[in-house]
Amino acid sequence: MSGLLQDGARRRRLALTCFASVLALACLSAPAAALAQTDPNDPQTDDQPVTDQDQQKPDREHRRRRRRPVQKPVDKTKPTAGAPAAGATTVPGVTVNAGRQSMHTSIDRITYDISHDLQVQAGGSVADALMDVPGVDVDLNGKVSIRGDSGVTILVDGKPSSLFSGPGAGQALQTVPADEYERVEVMTNPTAEFAPDGSAGIINLVTKKTRRGGAKGVSGSTRAAVSADGRYNVGLNGSYHNGNLTFTGGLFVRHEVQRGNSTDTREGFDASGAPLFTTDTLGATRGDRDSWAARGKFDYDVSDATRLSLGFNFFGSNSSNRATSDITGADGSGVVDQILDRTGHTDTDLMHSTVEADFRHDFAGDEHNFTLSAQRSRTPFDSSQHFEDDNIVPALGDLFDEQITDSRTDLTDLKADYQRPMPANGRFKAGYELKIEDDLIDNEGFQSEPVATAPSDPAETDLFHFNREINAFYTTYEQPIGKLTILGGLRYETSRIKIDDITSNAVDHNDQWRLYPTLHLAWSFNDANQLVLSYSQRVSRPQPQQFDPFQVIKSPLNISEGNPDLKPQETQSYEASYRYRQGTSNYIATLFYKDNTGAVTTVQDSLGNGVLLSTLENLDQSKSVGIELIAAKHLTPTLSFNISGDASWDQLDARSLGFAQLRSGYSGRARGSINWQVTPQDTLQLHANYFGQRLTPQGFSEPRARINLGYRHKFDRHLSALITVQDAFDTFHQRSVIETPTLDEDSRSFQRTRVVFFSLIYAFGYEARRDQDFDYGDDNGGGGGNQQ
């Protein structure tokens, strides 16, 4: 026993030494030196090992648990963890634990457990969690992409969310705590069961389950995290079970410090290539962001076969930043003709509320049920900026400008789904969905006034209303035939759009209907090897604010406007995936090809003197072909790794934007994680992401990288302490370049994303002793499809 304890102490000291060494190196690294490093930066998947050693703790409490194991409630209507779904015997189900990070493959998706990610446990945001998922990236503005494609739809429990779409989506992703979700489902070629929105595919966030049955009482966990620079977050998640009634809920509060700097250099040329102007802008922001959330869900089991659910979710986030910028401009001959010092503040307020109700009835037979759900949400997002401009050259003195935008999104979603087993282990699904989105955008402000309290300029005032109604019917049929499994689907959608620019009294309508077919084929060579082929037809619909033609003056050099003539992007998506699984090893290689027509892209046009107008246009065509590799393996019972990467060749037809020929280029992304269960009480994690250069219609974006570290010590089954480091080497910066015949621009953004958090987590009740493995049932709208 003493030998075991001494060995554990030595390993703990070694782990702490490694962690402290990397942390010290990160803290001492100068940002300039860090920028020269190449650190992997792509979605990470935090893993926390569950090992044989953890099952053989020498302490008395663990021996007691072995003699009297906790009885885990079983929902007989759902497959148990790691078990194949009913009717899915051809393609067996398996869960691969890569150091307590569970990755699960299905015929139409890959599922990742995020509940053991130490960044998530320390109060990390949804954006932090998504960056740990293979193929997924989140930039500094909270914009999500899969394999470099930003056409991503984010669902919550299989339902659309106005919180994670629209103008406030980035802020929400960077502040909503990820610990209310237990897994992330990535569907790059979803079946017809899901709306076809998003050229890149769907990310489905699945909330933590409320399982039927179980002991009466209260369980949950609470956490508190603080950093040296004044950031903190506090959270509480819990559940109460009594008979047929279960309540789950959570509360959280977060305070963030926002620090950033930016540079922007622009050069304009005439048709012959002669210089017209040059501008240089240095900017800085300093501010804070405060967020809070409250959620709850009641589940009542009317009988063993029928469940009624009622849930709510409230979220608020306020950001206030003081911003300064120094602008210097020169004419084509290099003579300075503009010097401007700009000082002011920007504020954003995001509020969200959702109420939902669900009904589920299970019939006799496996996976034979009917579900009905209704959801109503409202998401107001308000932004304002107030600035004083000191015009030194030309000597115009102090002038003031103000821009206020108030927007509101109302979303109504009704869904009815029915599934049943069919002969020969087949499975049939059918459903209906009604989605109504109603948006109101109100802009007002003034420019270049001599007083800060000037009234709004009528020319800067606009009221825009957008309404979109989508009716959809779908059906899928899954049939195993020997070693082959076929999953086909068809979705029929009608879309009705009404655009009303109330200020200009301009009204437009657009009615469409489309069929969206999907097909998935899985061939199992044996228990270890499988080939999956898939096809889906997808659409990327412009966001409501992208239709608004009103010009928003963001700064003296930046103006943006929407385009009411935008058309949806159509995508044909093909994939071939080879999967190998043996013991704790899991390898996936996927070839993908996407053919896009009418992609919506931002176009920058020079208005002279360094002023750029950002508009939206439809590209003629774009293509992307590439390969993605994922590998997860236990090297030892206590050490595991998970690595992934993808590379693609992209081609853009931007000839309608002034380019003489097609543009093409290569891009790549990579991520990796190492998870070490140092002792039964100590866990060490390292995650590295890399997001390579990406082609844009008028230029390219530079690579970005990030390394995260995490260490956890469990004092007992109730109390744990964590140290987590985000962006350890301060390398997660952003650079975009525009290179056209008439405009060159180099724009860079540097934000303070390196932060060290110290956290305490206390678990109580069932949460303190439950088995940490999760199952893949679809109580919350996830799951489905044959599993491998």
Side-chain angles (χ1 to χ4, degrees):
M1 177 67 73
S2 61
L4 287 175
L5 294 177
Q6 291 175 2
D7 183 61
R10 284 195 298 270
R11 286 192 288 174
R12 184 183 296 110
R13 286 196 299 270
L14 177 59
L16 288 173
T17 302
C18 294
F19 185 88
S21 300
V22 177
L23 178 59
L25 179 61
C27 294
L28 292 174
S29 298
L35 282 173
Q37 300 184 24
T38 304
D39 305 326
N41 157 332
D42 186 5
Q44 327 163 48
T45 337
D46 273 12
D47 323 316
Q48 180 177 325
V50 172
T51 67
D52 294 336
Q53 186 178 1
D54 191 50
Q55 310 256 336
Q56 299 169 1
K57 292 185 186 178
D59 60 82
R60 188 173 302 170
E61 172 62 21
H62 196 73
R63 290 198 299 269
R64 186 184 304 117
R65 289 179 60 191
R66 283 199 306 231
R67 290 196 301 268
R68 297 184 299 165
V70 176
Q71 296 299 316
K72 189 176 181 180
V74 177
D75 182 353
K76 296 182 179 180
T77 67
K78 305 288 182 296
T80 57
T89 55
T90 304
V91 187
V94 63
T95 301
V96 179
N97 289 316
R100 217 181 218 189
Q101 177 269 331
S102 298
M103 182 174 72
H104 191 77
T105 58
S106 306
I107 193 172
D108 65 335
R109 73 195 69 184
I110 301 180
T111 303
Y112 302 93
D113 177 18
I114 63 172
S115 62
H116 308 298
D117 180 336
L118 295 189
Q119 302 288 339
V120 171
Q121 292 181 14
S125 67
V126 173
D128 294 325
L130 291 181
M131 288 193 66
D132 294 343
V133 174
V136 182
D137 178 70
V138 185
D139 68 12
L140 287 175
N141 299 315
K143 191 172 185 178
V144 182
S145 61
I146 299 178
R147 299 171 182 165
D149 186 345
S150 59
V152 180
T153 297
I154 297 179
L155 306 178
V156 176
D157 297 333
K159 306 170 188 175
S161 171
S162 62
L163 180 60
F164 297 132
S165 62
Q171 184 168 326
L173 285 166
Q174 293 174 324
T175 51
V176 172
D179 64 352
E180 65 182 82
Y181 306 103
E182 69 176 358
R183 64 186 190 263
V184 173
E185 298 177 337
V186 179
M187 293 174 270
T188 51
N189 258 356
T191 68
E193 176 184 355
F194 298 94
D197 299 285
S199 57
I202 290 173
I203 293 175
N204 185 34
L205 306 174
V206 182
T207 54
K208 291 182 177 178
K209 289 179 178 293
T210 56
R211 296 172 175 82
R212 293 173 176 171
K216 175 182 177 180
V218 178
S219 67
S221 64
T222 182
R223 71 161 191 279
V226 64
S227 71
D229 64 351
R231 310 176 197 226
Y232 63 83
N233 68 77
V234 179
L236 170 66
N237 292 291
S239 65
Y240 171 75
H241 180 77
N242 188 357
N244 293 338
L245 179 66
T246 301
F247 171 79
T248 58
L251 299 169
F252 103 100
V253 175
R254 178 196 299 272
H255 175 75
E256 299 169 274
V257 178
Q258 297 179 307
R259 302 287 186 269
N261 297 285
S262 63
T263 65
D264 184 90
T265 300
R266 298 173 183 174
E267 294 181 272
F269 309 91
D270 63 17
S272 65
L276 294 175
F277 66 84
T278 301
T279 62
D280 290 287
T281 303
L282 300 176
T285 59
R286 301 290 185 271
D288 302 277
R289 182 164 60 193
D290 293 288
S291 309
W292 62 272
R295 62 179 178 86
K297 187 175 183 182
F298 296 90
D299 292 291
Y300 182 74
D301 293 325
V302 181
S303 65
D304 290 341
T306 303
R307 169 178 284 191
L308 296 175
S309 301
L310 180 65
F312 63 86
N313 194 324
F314 300 103
F315 172 80
S317 180
N318 170 267
S319 176
S320 181
N321 287 280
R322 181 170 178 80
T324 60
S325 58
D326 298 325
I327 302 172
T328 302
D331 61 19
S333 60
V335 177
V336 174
D337 58 5
Q338 183 182 32
I339 298 178
L340 173 66
D341 291 341
R342 182 172 168 84
T343 304
H345 61 92
T346 62
D347 301 284
T348 61
D349 287 288
L350 173 64
M351 297 293 293
H352 173 81
S353 59
T354 297
V355 178
E356 58 181 338
D358 299 277
F359 168 84
R360 172 170 177 148
H361 181 76
D362 295 317
F363 302 96
D366 293 331
E367 297 194 17
H368 187 190
N369 55 61
F370 172 77
T371 59
L372 183 65
S373 65
Q375 174 183 278
R376 173 72 175 181
S377 65
R378 168 164 287 192
T379 309
F381 179 72
D382 303 329
S383 64
S384 64
Q385 58 179 38
H386 311 267
F387 281 92
E388 176 183 354
D389 300 326
D390 182 9
N391 294 270
I392 301 173
V393 176
L396 301 177
D398 292 342
L399 296 175
F400 300 87
D401 61 63
E402 179 179 81
Q403 184 70 48
I404 300 174
T405 301
D406 296 334
S407 64
R408 186 208 68 211
T409 300
D410 291 331
L411 180 65
T412 301
D413 187 73
L414 304 174
K415 292 185 68 175
D417 296 278
Y418 174 75
Q419 68 170 342
R420 64 165 299 157
M422 301 298 288
N425 290 326
R427 183 167 58 177
F428 168 79
K429 283 187 177 183
Y432 166 77
E433 181 175 11
L434 169 64
K435 179 182 176 182
I436 302 175
E437 182 180 2
D438 194 87
D439 293 79
L440 188 66
I441 304 173
D442 186 4
N443 288 284
E444 62 174 318
F446 60 85
Q447 297 294 320
S448 301
E449 293 291 340
V451 293
T453 57
S456 296
D457 182 355
E460 297 294 324
T461 301
D462 181 72
L463 186 61
F464 180 79
H465 179 245
F466 176 91
N467 182 274
R468 177 161 46 201
E469 178 181 316
I470 298 175
N471 284 270
F473 299 86
Y474 84 87
T475 182
T476 66
Y477 196 93
E478 185 176 5
Q479 183 63 61
I481 306 173
K483 294 185 176 181
L484 175 67
T485 297
I486 303 173
L487 174 57
L490 185 65
R491 189 178 184 95
Y492 169 79
E493 286 195 353
T494 63
S495 173
R496 303 184 62 184
I497 294 177
K498 180 183 178 182
I499 300 174
D500 185 4
D501 194 341
I502 299 173
T503 302
S504 61
N505 198 28
V507 180
D508 193 13
H509 296 267
N510 187 356
D511 296 345
Q512 292 182 337
W513 68 270
R514 289 294 303 270
L515 290 172
Y516 297 96
T518 64
L519 178 64
H520 293 73
L521 304 173
W523 179 271
S524 295
F525 298 95
N526 49 46
D527 289 342
N529 296 273
Q530 184 189 52
L531 177 66
V532 178
L533 306 177
S534 62
Y535 163 79
S536 68
Q537 184 171 305
R538 308 198 56 72
V539 62
S540 292
R541 299 180 173 96
Q543 293 296 312
Q545 66 273 12
Q546 294 179 317
F547 287 102
D548 189 356
F550 177 72
Q551 286 194 353
V552 178
I553 303 176
K554 297 183 176 180
S555 74
L557 299 183
N558 296 282
I559 303 174
S560 66
E561 68 178 8
N563 183 354
D565 297 323
L566 288 176
K567 302 294 188 294
Q569 171 187 320
E570 302 289 341
T571 299
Q572 310 295 323
S573 177
Y574 306 83
E575 289 191 8
S577 177
Y578 184 82
R579 302 169 180 178
Y580 173 82
R581 185 266 306 170
Q582 186 68 44
T584 61
S585 301
N586 196 32
Y587 304 97
I588 303 174
T590 303
L591 294 174
F592 58 88
Y593 171 72
K594 291 184 183 293
D595 188 350
N596 306 307
T597 303
V600 176
T601 187
T602 300
V603 179
Q604 307 276 9
D605 291 320
S606 174
L607 300 181
N609 296 325
V611 180
L612 291 188
L613 173 64
S614 299
T615 58
L616 296 166
E617 299 289 346
N618 287 105
L619 285 177
D620 295 329
Q621 193 174 38
S622 64
K623 297 179 180 179
S624 180
V625 59
I627 184 172
E628 181 180 60
L629 303 174
I630 301 174
K633 181 179 177 62
H634 262 101
L635 299 175
T636 71
T638 61
L639 183 65
S640 66
F641 74 87
N642 189 313
I643 59 174
S644 66
D646 67 270
S648 63
W649 175 79
D650 308 304
Q651 184 185 76
L652 301 176
D653 186 353
R655 288 175 290 186
S656 62
L657 305 181
F659 289 89
Q661 57 187 3
L662 298 175
R663 304 186 65 239
S664 62
Y666 294 92
S667 64
R669 293 144 290 274
R671 61 161 296 281
S673 63
I674 298 176
N675 309 273
W676 183 19
Q677 187 81 49
V678 185
T679 73
Q681 295 81 28
D682 298 278
T683 303
L684 187 64
Q685 296 180 349
L686 181 147
H687 304 277
N689 295 344
Y690 175 80
F691 189 85
Q693 180 172 298
R694 183 173 64 87
L695 187 69
T696 62
Q698 292 181 296
F700 60 90
S701 63
E702 278 284 285
R704 289 176 287 112
R706 188 169 88 161
I707 288 181
N708 288 353
L709 303 170
Y711 173 76
R712 187 186 73 173
H713 176 73
K714 294 182 66 174
F715 296 99
D716 54 38
R717 69 182 188 184
H718 296 284
L719 183 63
S720 299
L722 290 85
I723 302 175
T724 56
V725 185
Q726 296 179 358
D727 191 18
F729 294 96
D730 194 23
T731 53
F732 194 59
H733 306 306
Q734 205 157 277
R735 181 192 178 206
S736 60
V737 175
I738 294 177
E739 295 178 338
T740 73
T742 59
L743 175 68
D744 286 350
E745 182 185 29
D746 188 326
S747 179
R748 307 184 186 213
S749 178
F750 310 90
Q751 294 185 17
R752 184 188 293 178
T753 56
R754 179 171 56 187
V755 57
V756 180
F757 274 108
F758 302 89
S759 310
L760 288 176
I761 300 176
Y762 183 81
F764 53 92
Y766 177 69
E767 190 73 17
R769 61 182 185 274
R770 70 183 179 93
D771 182 351
Q772 294 295 323
D773 290 337
F774 70 95
D775 67 35
Y776 294 85
D778 57 353
D779 282 354
N780 288 308
N786 269 340
Q787 296 149 355
Q788 174 188 308

